[in-house]
Amino acid sequence: MLNVAIIGAGRIGRLHAENLCYRIPQTQVVGIADVQISAAEETAARLNIPFTTADYRELLAKPNVDVVVICSATDTHTEIIIESAKAGKQIFCEKPIDLSLSKIDAALEAVDKAGVKMQIGFNRRFDPNFRRVRTAIERGEMGTPHRLHIISRDPAPPPLSYVKVSGGMFVDMTIHDFDMARYLIGSEVEEIYTLAGVMVDPAIGAAGDVDSALVTLKFANGVIGSIDNSRQAVYGYDQRVEVFGSGGKIETDNNYPNAAHISTAQNVYRDLPLNFFLERYSESYVSEILSFVDALEHDKPVSVGGIDGRQAVVMGMAARKSYLEHRPVRLDEI
Amino acid sequence: MLNVAIIGAGRIGRLHAENLCYRIPQTQVVGIADVQISAAEETAARLNIPFTTADYRELLAKPNVDVVVICSATDTHTEIIIESAKAGKQIFCEKPIDLSLSKIDAALEAVDKAGVKMQIGFNRRFDPNFRRVRTAIERGEMGTPHRLHIISRDPAPPPLSYVKVSGGMFVDMTIHDFDMARYLIGSEVEEIYTLAGVMVDPAIGAAGDVDSALVTLKFANGVIGSIDNSRQAVYGYDQRVEVFGSGGKIETDNNYPNAAHISTAQNVYRDLPLNFFLERYSESYVSEILSFVDALEHDKPVSVGGIDGRQAVVMGMAARKSYLEHRPVRLDEI
Amino acid sequence: MLNVAIIGAGRIGRLHAENLCYRIPQTQVVGIADVQISAAEETAARLNIPFTTADYRELLAKPNVDVVVICSATDTHTEIIIESAKAGKQIFCEKPIDLSLSKIDAALEAVDKAGVKMQIGFNRRFDPNFRRVRTAIERGEMGTPHRLHIISRDPAPPPLSYVKVSGGMFVDMTIHDFDMARYLIGSEVEEIYTLAGVMVDPAIGAAGDVDSALVTLKFANGVIGSIDNSRQAVYGYDQRVEVFGSGGKIETDNNYPNAAHISTAQNVYRDLPLNFFLERYSESYVSEILSFVDALEHDKPVSVGGIDGRQAVVMGMAARKSYLEHRPVRLDEI
Amino acid sequence: MLNVAIIGAGRIGRLHAENLCYRIPQTQVVGIADVQISAAEETAARLNIPFTTADYRELLAKPNVDVVVICSATDTHTEIIIESAKAGKQIFCEKPIDLSLSKIDAALEAVDKAGVKMQIGFNRRFDPNFRRVRTAIERGEMGTPHRLHIISRDPAPPPLSYVKVSGGMFVDMTIHDFDMARYLIGSEVEEIYTLAGVMVDPAIGAAGDVDSALVTLKFANGVIGSIDNSRQAVYGYDQRVEVFGSGGKIETDNNYPNAAHISTAQNVYRDLPLNFFLERYSESYVSEILSFVDALEHDKPVSVGGIDGRQAVVMGMAARKSYLEHRPVRLDEI
C-alpha cells in the first residue's frame, strides 16, 4: 500500500484524490494540502482523508508519505518538486512543470540527484484511442508514418483571468498536443511553424493571447505533423488524431455518451460528444496513476518523465516564437 | 451511509461488492456470505469487508445491516428474499427471481407484507444506450413506436453444466431482453411466437435447450417486437436495439474499446466490440445500485420491481411453450 | 446489338427505356407500346425511339425485335409473356409475374416450351450492398448463416387507388424481400409466420390491407429469417440487411446522398438517406439488364428466372394466409 | 441540342465523350480529334461519333460545332483556347490551363475579347460531398469558418515519365485542392507555407519533385487552411474535407463501393473506398458539363471561370516557392 499526499485541492487535485481513494486499490491518501484550507477540508471530509493542511511542507515532513501528487498552481510546481525530491518522496506532477526552462531544469536536476521518480501528468497518453494509435504505429499496422494530424479543440475558452496567467495557449493548451505528437511519432520535433489568430473572443486577443491555431511540426524522422487548436468548439470536446503512413492510416473519432442514432423526417442525428476532459479522459486519469504506481512498485522508468514535461514547454515556446516572428522556428533556437 | 450485506460471492456478487466499496460513496459493505466460505473470504480480504460467513442468516441477524444484495444461486433466491423481508432488510435481488411462478409470488407477497423495497437486477435498463432509447420514446423523438427489434447475442455459450440448470435460454438469457422490451415500449406483451434451434453446439440441444432464437412479441399497445438471440457471436457481445415509429427510428450500436479505424491495402477495420457484460455493462451495474440507493434514501418506488422480475419469467415460459408447441402463445395461458 | 421493345411506358417502363438507350451500349430500343399512346409517344420523343403503338402486338409482330421488356400492369403480364414466347422473343418481365399461380404456371410453361429466356425484375439482387452480402455468404466470410434480418420500409404509402389493386402488401412490397431472402440464403423457405397491422393509415386497413408487418421465415437449411416492413418511414427509404452466422455477421447501411456530417451546438447530424427506389436502386436497374443481356449474348441461364418470380408470389400468399389465420403456414399449403 | 467537338481522346477525353453521348441529353458529339488518330477513331467507333481527325483545327473550322471540350496535353491548351475563341466556339478546358501565367493570361484575354464562355475542369466542385460542404457554409450551418482542412491523397503515383512533365505535384495534383479551398471558403488565399518531402518513391525526388506535402493557407478573410497531400494512399483515393467554424464543423468521409460492414472473430471491417477519380468523381464529371450547358443555354456566367483556373496555378507556384525557400510566401510575390 502506497501512502499518497495530494498538494492542491482544485479541480484536478480533487479528481486525483477521488481516483486514488476509489479506483486504485494499491494506494491510500493520507493527507491533502491547499493554501485555501477549506478546499482541502471539503475534499478530505468527502473522501475520508485523515489529514489536511494549508502548508504542503507538513505533508513532506511526514515519514509515512511515500508519494506526493502535485496539483497546485503552475508557478509553485518547481519549488514543491525540489523540496519533495529532497524529502525523498516519489513525485507525480501536473503539467506544465513550469513556464521557465531554467526553473524546470533546476527541478529535474533535484529529482535526478535525489534518485526519486517523477511522472508528469500527460494523461492523454493513457486514453484508449490514442494508446491504440501508438500501438498501431508500434506494430506497423499503417507502415512507416508520413503524416500526423492532431485535432484538439476545447468546448469553451477558460475564464479571461485564467488566460492572463496561463502563459498563453501554446504552453497551456497545445502543450498536451505537443506531448501527444512526440508520444505517437516517437521522434523529436525539429522545427515548428505557426499560423494563429483570434477568432473566438477579441478579449483573448486583448489579453495578448490567441485562441485558434494551426501548428505545423517537422520531426527529426521526416514525419510532417500538424496540430489544429481552437479554444471553442460549440459541439464539445474535439480530440482526434490521424496518422498516415506507407501502409495506410489510422483515425480516431471522439467519444460519445451513447451509441444511439436517431432518424427523423429532418435528418439523422446523434447526441454531442463528451463535453470536456473530465468525462472524455476520465479513464486516462486512473490509468496514468496506475502506470506510475506500477513504475514505483517494480522500480521501472516512469512512462512520462521530466524530460517529456520539459520538451513540451520548449515546443510551446517555439510555437509562440514562430507566431510572433512569422517564420519557421527551430527548437534549438529556444 | 447504508450498510450492505452481500449474499453470494460468485462473479456477479464480487462485481456488486467492488462497486459498493469503490464506486458508491453512500454505501459500505459490512459482510459477505457464500456457501463456499473461501469465496467470501477471498473477496472480503481484497475489499476490506469486515465479516464473512457461510450462512447468510448470520447477515440477516445483524441489526446494522440495512440492505441485502442477493447474488446466490437462482434456486435460493426466494427463500432468502422471504427471510430478508421478515428481517426488515431492503432487498436487491439478481435475476431471475426464480423459475417457479408460485415461489416468485410467495416472495413478492413476503416483500409486500414486510413493507420493504425490492429491486431486481435488470441492469441493462441503466445502460446509456438503452436509456437513450427509452428517453427518445418518452420524448416522442421518433413518434409513436410501431416496431421494436432487440439483438442480444452472447460471445460464447456458458458451460454445459450451467446450461443444464439454467432453466433454458429463454429464462436465463432472453429474460434480459424480455425486460428490455417491456421497459422500452412501456406496454405489456400479450402474445409470443418463437422460432428457435440448435445452431451453435449440439450438446446444448442434447441438454434439452436451444442456442439460437427469434422471439416475436405482440404488445398490448399494438407494437410488434422481435428478439434475436444467439449463444455465440464470435465477434463479441452484440447488444443492440432498434425502435421504429411514426416519426422515425432510433438505433443503437455496440460499444467499442476505442474509436480508432485503420485503413490498409486490404480493408478498413476497427477492433472488436467489448467482449462481454462485465465490460459492456460495467457502468449500468453502478447505476442500478445508485438508483436503488436513491429509492431507499428518498423512499421512492424502485426502478425495477418484483413484478418486473415476475413478468420476464412469464415471458420466458411463454416463449418456451411457443417453441415446443409451434404456435403463438398468449401470456395469459401461463 | 440487341433490338429491344418496351411494353408499358409508366414509371418503370420509362426507367428501363432510359437505361437501355443511354447506359447499355449493347442494346437499342426499337419501339415502345402503351395503352395510353400519349405516354409511349412522350417517351419515344424524348429518347428518339423510332416506333410507338398502343397495341403491344404490333411490337411482337416485328421480326427485328429480339427482346421485350414487359412493364405493363401486372394483370397483363402473363398474357404478354405467353404471346412474346410464342413470337420467339426473349423476355424481361417486371415483378410480380401475376397474382394467380395458375396464370404464372401457364406463362412459365409457355416460356419453357418456346425455349426463350425470361428474367424477372428483382432488381435488388443487383444492388451493390446486397450483392456484397451474397458474396460474403458465398465466401463464408461470416461462416454458416444462422439468421437473416431484412429491413424494408418505404418512405410513404402508395396512393389508395393503387393499394386496392396491388394484391396486398405481401405480394406488392414484401415480394422483393421474399426474393432477397431466397437470394441471400440460397435455400427455400418452408414456413412463414406473420405479425401485421395497420399503423400508418387506417384507410389502408379499410381497403383490406395492412401497412406494417414482421414476417418470420423458416428456411429448409435451418436459417431463421425475418422481414420488417413498413409502408412509411418518414426519414426515407430504409433498405438494410443483416446476416448472422457461425463466423460473424454482415450488416448493410442505407445509401446517402453525401458523406458529410455536421456537428453543431445541438447535435451531430447528416442528411437523410436516399428517398426512394429510383435513386437508391438506380444502378441495380442498369445491372439487371446488363446481366440479362449477358445471358442472351452468351446463352447462359438468366440470373433471376421465372421460378424465382413464382416462389416470391407463393411466399406472399403464405404470409397473408398466416396473418389471416394467425398461425405459422407452410409453403406447401399454398 | 448543342454540337460538341472533343479535342484529345486520352483518358479524360474519352470520359467526357462518353458522358456527352450517354448522360447529357442536351448535347451530341459531332467530332473528336487526337494527334494519335487511332485513339480518336477507337472512341468514335465505340460511341458513334461521326467525325475524327488528327488536327483539331478541322473541328474548329466546322460551323456546326458550338462547343469544344479541350482534353489535350496541357502545353497545347492555351493555343487551342485562343484559336477556339477566335472561331467563336464555347470552351470547356481541362485543368491546368497552362503552367505559364503569361500564356494563361493570353488565353484569358482571347476568350474575353471573343465574348465566348470558358469553363475550367475543376470537377470536384461538383462532387456531392464537397458541394454539401459549400452549401453548409453558405447556409451558415457551422457559423463563420475558422479552419479548413483538405485531405487529398492519390492511391498511387503517376508514371515517372508523367511526373517529369507534370510541372510538379503542386500544379499537377494540389491544384485541385487549391481550387477546392477557394471554392469552399469563398475568399482568396494571401499566403502559403509548405512542408514537403519525398516519402513515397525516391525516384520522384530524383526527378525534382516531391510526393508528400502539407500546405498551409492564410485566407484574406482570416480563415486558416491546410492541405494534406500524398501521392500514395495504399487504401485508395482519400478525398476528404473538414471545415470548422464558430457554430460547429462539417466533415466529409470518402465514398465506398458498398455500405456493408463485416464482423468476424478478428475485427470489424468494410471494403476499401473507391479507388480513384474515375469512380469517386464519376457523377461530378457529368454535373460539371451539365452546369456548363446550363450556362450556355441560359447565358449565365460559368461556374468555374478562367480566373479560377489561373488562381490555382498561382497558388501552386507559391506553394513550390515556399517549399524551395523554406518560408511563408505571399501570393502577390508570384
Side-chain angles (χ1 to χ4, degrees):
Chain A
M1 205 58 135
L2 287 165
N3 291 324
V4 180
I6 295 168
I7 300 173
R11 189 167 54 175
I12 193 74
R14 289 196 301 271
L15 172 70
H16 284 305
E18 204 166 303
N19 286 339
L20 287 159
C21 289
Y22 288 129
R23 305 288 296 276
I24 298 167
Q26 305 100 313
T27 60
Q28 59 189 357
V29 180
V30 295
I32 183 162
D34 199 292
V35 288
Q36 282 195 277
I37 183 70
S38 61
E41 281 166 353
E42 186 272 331
T43 299
R46 195 161 52 83
L47 301 174
N48 289 318
I49 300 173
F51 181 81
T52 59
T53 172
D55 181 1
Y56 68 85
R57 289 181 183 88
E58 288 191 50
L59 293 172
L60 300 185
K62 282 179 182 285
N64 74 325
V65 166
D66 304 307
V67 176
V68 294
V69 172
I70 304 175
C71 308
S72 51
T74 297
D75 60 4
T76 67
H77 284 179
T78 54
E79 186 179 7
I80 302 177
I81 290 170
I82 292 168
E83 291 180 47
S84 300
K86 282 183 184 156
K89 309 304 187 191
Q90 308 293 340
I91 302 166
F92 183 96
C93 182
E94 272 305 317
K95 46 74 29 187
I97 304 181
D98 197 273
L99 303 181
S100 146
L101 288 185
S102 60
K103 289 175 75 182
I104 292 175
D105 288 338
L108 265 57
E109 200 189 322
V111 167
D112 207 41
K113 199 187 291 180
V116 297
K117 292 183 195 300
M118 178 166 75
Q119 183 168 319
I120 306 302
F122 284 128
N123 61 295
R124 294 186 195 175
R125 291 191 182 202
F126 300 88
D127 174 74
N129 291 349
F130 300 134
R131 185 145 274 206
R132 183 66 181 83
V133 176
R134 178 63 194 153
T135 302
I137 291 174
E138 284 170 351
R139 287 185 192 156
E141 286 178 83
M142 313 91 60
T144 305
H146 294 174
R147 279 278 289 121
L148 164 71
H149 187 57
I150 295 175
I151 289 171
S152 176
R153 300 168 185 149
D154 283 354
L160 211 56
S161 56
Y162 177 85
V163 167
K164 286 174 182 167
V165 301
S166 69
M169 191 176 77
F170 301 112
V171 289
D172 175 53
M173 177 176 165
T174 323
I175 193 170
H176 272 297
D177 309 308
F178 290 134
D179 183 66
M180 182 58 62
R182 294 178 64 248
Y183 166 65
L184 292 179
I185 300 303
S187 170
E188 293 298 336
V189 167
E190 291 184 337
E191 192 180 275
I192 287 179
Y193 177 72
T194 304
L195 278 168
V198 178
M199 304 186 189
V200 172
D201 184 357
I204 293 175
D209 202 359
V210 295
D211 54 32
S212 304
L214 170 65
V215 181
T216 72
L217 313 171
K218 210 167 167 173
F219 286 82
N221 68 356
V223 168
I224 294 171
S226 42
I227 298 170
D228 178 329
N229 282 153
S230 174
R231 283 287 197 187
Q232 182 169 296
V234 298
Y235 48 84
Y237 206 29
D238 200 348
Q239 299 281 300
R240 290 173 290 146
V241 153
E242 173 166 343
V243 177
F244 170 79
S246 61
K249 68 172 168 175
I250 183 166
E251 303 159 272
T252 60
D253 197 358
N254 287 312
N255 292 346
Y256 289 81
N258 60 65
H261 290 74
I262 299 178
S263 302
T264 69
Q266 278 70 51
N267 57 29
V268 179
Y269 65 93
R270 69 178 306 181
D271 293 338
L272 292 177
L274 297 179
N275 188 258
F276 211 3
F277 66 96
L278 292 182
E279 298 142 294
R280 161 62 186 267
Y281 289 123
S282 62
E283 284 310 306
S284 74
Y285 287 109
V286 177
S287 301
E288 68 173 351
I289 299 291
L290 284 172
S291 170
F292 183 49
V293 165
D294 182 56
L296 296 181
E297 285 182 336
H298 303 95
D299 195 17
K300 300 194 297 192
V302 297
S303 45
V304 196
I307 194 67
D308 296 308
R310 185 190 197 279
Q311 198 65 10
V313 173
V314 170
M315 292 170 77
M317 290 171 170
R320 181 153 181 86
K321 189 177 179 73
S322 169
Y323 167 63
L324 293 175
E325 302 184 5
H326 191 221
R327 65 171 181 91
V329 168
R330 291 187 58 85
L331 261 62
D332 53 24
E333 297 181 46
I334 304 299
Chain B
M1 203 61 134
L2 287 164
N3 290 324
V4 180
I6 295 169
I7 300 172
R11 187 167 56 175
I12 192 75
R14 289 196 302 271
L15 173 69
H16 284 305
E18 203 165 303
N19 286 339
L20 286 159
C21 288
Y22 287 130
R23 305 288 296 275
I24 298 167
Q26 307 98 314
T27 61
Q28 61 189 356
V29 180
V30 295
I32 183 163
D34 199 291
V35 288
Q36 282 196 278
I37 184 69
S38 62
E41 282 166 353
E42 185 272 331
T43 299
R46 195 162 51 85
L47 301 175
N48 289 318
I49 299 173
F51 182 82
T52 59
T53 174
D55 180 3
Y56 69 85
R57 286 183 186 88
E58 289 190 49
L59 292 172
L60 299 186
K62 282 179 181 284
N64 74 325
V65 167
D66 304 307
V67 176
V68 295
V69 172
I70 304 174
C71 308
S72 51
T74 297
D75 60 4
T76 67
H77 283 179
T78 54
E79 187 179 6
I80 301 177
I81 290 171
I82 290 168
E83 291 180 48
S84 300
K86 280 183 184 155
K89 310 302 187 193
Q90 308 294 338
I91 302 165
F92 183 96
C93 182
E94 272 305 317
K95 46 73 29 187
I97 302 181
D98 196 274
L99 302 180
S100 144
L101 288 185
S102 60
K103 288 175 75 183
I104 292 175
D105 288 338
L108 266 56
E109 200 188 323
V111 168
D112 208 41
K113 200 188 286 178
V116 296
K117 290 185 198 298
M118 179 166 74
Q119 184 169 320
I120 306 302
F122 283 128
N123 61 296
R124 295 185 194 175
R125 292 191 181 202
F126 300 88
D127 174 74
N129 290 350
F130 301 135
R131 186 146 274 206
R132 184 64 181 85
V133 176
R134 178 61 194 155
T135 302
I137 291 174
E138 285 170 350
R139 286 185 193 156
E141 285 178 84
M142 313 92 60
T144 305
H146 293 174
R147 281 277 290 120
L148 164 70
H149 187 56
I150 295 175
I151 289 171
S152 175
R153 301 168 184 150
D154 283 354
L160 212 57
S161 56
Y162 177 84
V163 167
K164 286 174 182 167
V165 301
S166 70
M169 191 175 77
F170 300 114
V171 289
D172 175 54
M173 177 176 165
T174 323
I175 193 170
H176 271 298
D177 309 308
F178 289 135
D179 184 65
M180 182 57 62
R182 293 178 64 246
Y183 166 64
L184 291 180
I185 300 303
S187 170
E188 293 298 337
V189 167
E190 290 184 338
E191 192 180 274
I192 286 178
Y193 177 73
T194 304
L195 277 168
V198 179
M199 305 187 189
V200 173
D201 184 356
I204 294 175
D209 203 357
V210 294
D211 55 32
S212 304
L214 171 64
V215 181
T216 71
L217 313 171
K218 208 168 169 175
F219 286 83
N221 68 358
V223 168
I224 294 171
S226 42
I227 298 170
D228 177 327
N229 281 153
S230 173
R231 283 288 197 185
Q232 183 168 295
V234 298
Y235 49 85
Y237 206 30
D238 200 349
Q239 299 280 301
R240 289 173 291 146
V241 153
E242 174 168 341
V243 178
F244 170 79
S246 60
K249 69 173 168 176
I250 183 166
E251 302 159 90
T252 61
D253 196 358
N254 287 311
N255 292 347
Y256 289 82
N258 60 65
H261 289 75
I262 299 178
S263 301
T264 69
Q266 279 70 53
N267 58 28
V268 180
Y269 66 93
R270 70 178 305 179
D271 293 338
L272 291 177
L274 297 179
N275 188 258
F276 211 4
F277 66 96
L278 292 183
E279 298 143 293
R280 161 63 188 265
Y281 288 123
S282 62
E283 284 309 306
S284 75
Y285 287 109
V286 177
S287 300
E288 69 174 350
I289 299 292
L290 283 173
S291 170
F292 183 49
V293 165
D294 182 57
L296 297 182
E297 285 182 334
H298 303 95
D299 196 17
K300 300 194 298 191
V302 296
S303 45
V304 195
I307 194 66
D308 296 309
R310 184 189 198 279
Q311 197 65 9
V313 172
V314 170
M315 291 170 79
M317 291 171 169
R320 181 152 181 85
K321 189 178 179 71
S322 170
Y323 168 63
L324 293 174
E325 302 183 5
H326 191 221
R327 64 171 181 90
V329 168
R330 292 186 57 84
L331 261 64
D332 52 25
E333 297 182 45
I334 304 300
Chain C
M1 204 61 135
L2 288 164
N3 290 325
V4 180
I6 295 169
I7 299 173
R11 188 168 54 175
I12 192 75
R14 289 197 301 271
L15 173 70
H16 284 304
E18 203 166 303
N19 286 340
L20 287 158
C21 289
Y22 286 129
R23 306 288 295 276
I24 297 166
Q26 306 100 313
T27 62
Q28 60 189 358
V29 180
V30 295
I32 184 163
D34 199 291
V35 287
Q36 283 196 276
I37 184 69
S38 62
E41 282 167 353
E42 185 271 333
T43 299
R46 197 161 51 84
L47 301 174
N48 289 318
I49 299 172
F51 182 81
T52 59
T53 173
D55 181 3
Y56 68 85
R57 288 183 182 86
E58 288 191 49
L59 293 171
L60 299 186
K62 282 178 180 286
N64 74 326
V65 166
D66 304 307
V67 177
V68 295
V69 173
I70 304 175
C71 309
S72 52
T74 297
D75 60 5
T76 67
H77 284 179
T78 55
E79 187 178 7
I80 302 177
I81 290 171
I82 290 168
E83 292 179 48
S84 300
K86 282 184 184 156
K89 309 303 187 194
Q90 308 293 340
I91 301 165
F92 182 95
C93 182
E94 272 304 318
K95 46 76 26 186
I97 303 180
D98 196 274
L99 302 181
S100 145
L101 288 186
S102 61
K103 289 175 74 182
I104 292 175
D105 287 338
L108 266 56
E109 202 188 321
V111 168
D112 208 41
K113 200 187 288 179
V116 296
K117 292 186 196 296
M118 178 166 73
Q119 183 169 320
I120 306 302
F122 284 127
N123 61 296
R124 294 186 195 176
R125 291 190 181 203
F126 300 88
D127 174 73
N129 291 349
F130 301 134
R131 186 144 273 205
R132 184 65 182 86
V133 175
R134 178 62 194 154
T135 303
I137 291 174
E138 285 169 351
R139 287 185 193 158
E141 285 178 85
M142 312 91 60
T144 305
H146 294 173
R147 280 278 288 121
L148 165 71
H149 187 57
I150 296 175
I151 288 170
S152 176
R153 301 168 184 151
D154 283 355
L160 213 56
S161 56
Y162 177 84
V163 167
K164 286 174 181 166
V165 301
S166 69
M169 190 175 77
F170 300 113
V171 289
D172 175 53
M173 176 176 165
T174 322
I175 193 169
H176 272 297
D177 309 308
F178 290 134
D179 184 65
M180 182 57 61
R182 293 179 63 247
Y183 166 65
L184 291 179
I185 300 303
S187 170
E188 293 298 337
V189 167
E190 292 184 337
E191 191 180 276
I192 286 180
Y193 176 72
T194 304
L195 277 167
V198 179
M199 304 185 190
V200 172
D201 184 357
I204 293 175
D209 202 359
V210 294
D211 55 32
S212 304
L214 170 65
V215 181
T216 72
L217 312 171
K218 209 167 169 175
F219 286 83
N221 68 357
V223 168
I224 295 171
S226 43
I227 298 170
D228 177 329
N229 282 153
S230 173
R231 283 288 196 186
Q232 181 169 295
V234 297
Y235 49 85
Y237 206 30
D238 200 349
Q239 299 280 301
R240 290 173 290 147
V241 152
E242 174 168 341
V243 178
F244 170 80
S246 61
K249 68 172 169 177
I250 184 167
E251 303 159 90
T252 61
D253 196 359
N254 287 311
N255 293 347
Y256 289 81
N258 61 64
H261 290 75
I262 299 178
S263 302
T264 68
Q266 279 70 54
N267 57 29
V268 180
Y269 66 93
R270 70 177 306 179
D271 291 340
L272 291 177
L274 297 179
N275 188 258
F276 210 5
F277 66 96
L278 293 183
E279 298 143 293
R280 161 62 187 264
Y281 288 122
S282 62
E283 284 310 306
S284 74
Y285 286 109
V286 176
S287 300
E288 69 174 350
I289 299 292
L290 284 172
S291 170
F292 183 49
V293 165
D294 182 57
L296 296 181
E297 285 181 335
H298 302 96
D299 195 18
K300 300 193 298 190
V302 296
S303 45
V304 196
I307 195 66
D308 296 309
R310 184 189 197 278
Q311 198 64 9
V313 172
V314 169
M315 291 170 79
M317 290 171 168
R320 180 153 181 86
K321 190 177 179 71
S322 170
Y323 167 64
L324 293 174
E325 301 183 5
H326 191 221
R327 64 172 181 91
V329 167
R330 291 185 59 83
L331 260 64
D332 54 26
E333 297 181 46
I334 304 299
Chain D
M1 205 59 134
L2 288 164
N3 290 324
V4 180
I6 295 169
I7 300 173
R11 187 167 55 174
I12 192 74
R14 289 197 301 271
L15 172 70
H16 284 305
E18 204 165 304
N19 286 339
L20 286 158
C21 289
Y22 287 130
R23 305 289 296 275
I24 298 168
Q26 305 99 314
T27 61
Q28 60 189 355
V29 180
V30 296
I32 183 163
D34 198 292
V35 287
Q36 283 196 277
I37 184 69
S38 62
E41 282 166 353
E42 186 271 330
T43 300
R46 194 161 53 82
L47 301 175
N48 290 318
I49 299 172
F51 182 81
T52 59
T53 173
D55 180 2
Y56 68 85
R57 287 182 185 87
E58 289 191 49
L59 292 172
L60 300 186
K62 283 180 179 284
N64 75 327
V65 167
D66 304 307
V67 176
V68 295
V69 173
I70 305 174
C71 309
S72 51
T74 298
D75 60 4
T76 68
H77 283 179
T78 55
E79 187 179 5
I80 302 177
I81 289 171
I82 291 168
E83 292 180 47
S84 300
K86 281 184 184 155
K89 310 302 188 193
Q90 309 294 339
I91 302 165
F92 182 95
C93 181
E94 271 305 317
K95 47 73 30 186
I97 303 180
D98 196 274
L99 302 180
S100 144
L101 288 186
S102 61
K103 289 176 75 182
I104 292 175
D105 288 338
L108 266 56
E109 200 188 322
V111 168
D112 208 41
K113 201 188 290 180
V116 297
K117 291 184 197 298
M118 178 166 73
Q119 183 169 320
I120 305 303
F122 284 128
N123 61 296
R124 294 186 194 174
R125 292 191 182 201
F126 300 88
D127 173 73
N129 291 349
F130 302 135
R131 186 143 275 204
R132 184 64 181 85
V133 176
R134 178 62 194 154
T135 303
I137 291 174
E138 285 170 350
R139 285 186 193 156
E141 287 178 83
M142 313 91 61
T144 305
H146 294 173
R147 281 278 289 120
L148 164 71
H149 187 58
I150 296 175
I151 289 171
S152 176
R153 300 169 184 149
D154 283 355
L160 211 56
S161 56
Y162 177 85
V163 167
K164 287 173 183 167
V165 300
S166 69
M169 190 175 77
F170 300 113
V171 289
D172 175 54
M173 177 177 166
T174 323
I175 192 170
H176 272 297
D177 308 308
F178 290 135
D179 184 65
M180 182 58 61
R182 293 178 64 247
Y183 166 65
L184 292 179
I185 299 303
S187 169
E188 292 299 336
V189 167
E190 291 184 336
E191 192 179 275
I192 287 180
Y193 176 73
T194 305
L195 277 168
V198 179
M199 304 187 189
V200 172
D201 184 357
I204 293 175
D209 203 359
V210 294
D211 56 32
S212 305
L214 170 65
V215 181
T216 71
L217 313 171
K218 210 166 165 174
F219 286 83
N221 67 357
V223 168
I224 294 171
S226 43
I227 298 171
D228 177 330
N229 281 154
S230 174
R231 283 287 196 187
Q232 181 169 293
V234 297
Y235 48 84
Y237 206 30
D238 200 349
Q239 299 280 300
R240 290 173 290 146
V241 152
E242 173 167 342
V243 177
F244 170 79
S246 60
K249 68 172 170 178
I250 183 166
E251 302 158 273
T252 61
D253 196 358
N254 287 311
N255 292 347
Y256 289 81
N258 61 64
H261 289 75
I262 299 179
S263 302
T264 70
Q266 279 69 52
N267 57 29
V268 180
Y269 66 93
R270 69 177 305 179
D271 292 340
L272 291 178
L274 297 178
N275 189 258
F276 210 4
F277 66 96
L278 293 182
E279 298 142 293
R280 161 61 188 265
Y281 288 123
S282 62
E283 285 308 307
S284 75
Y285 286 109
V286 177
S287 300
E288 69 174 351
I289 299 292
L290 284 172
S291 170
F292 183 49
V293 165
D294 181 56
L296 296 181
E297 285 182 336
H298 302 96
D299 195 16
K300 299 194 299 191
V302 296
S303 44
V304 195
I307 193 67
D308 296 310
R310 184 191 198 278
Q311 198 65 10
V313 173
V314 170
M315 292 169 78
M317 291 171 169
R320 181 152 181 85
K321 190 178 179 71
S322 170
Y323 167 64
L324 293 174
E325 302 184 5
H326 191 221
R327 65 171 180 91
V329 167
R330 291 187 57 84
L331 261 64
D332 53 24
E333 297 181 46
I334 304 300

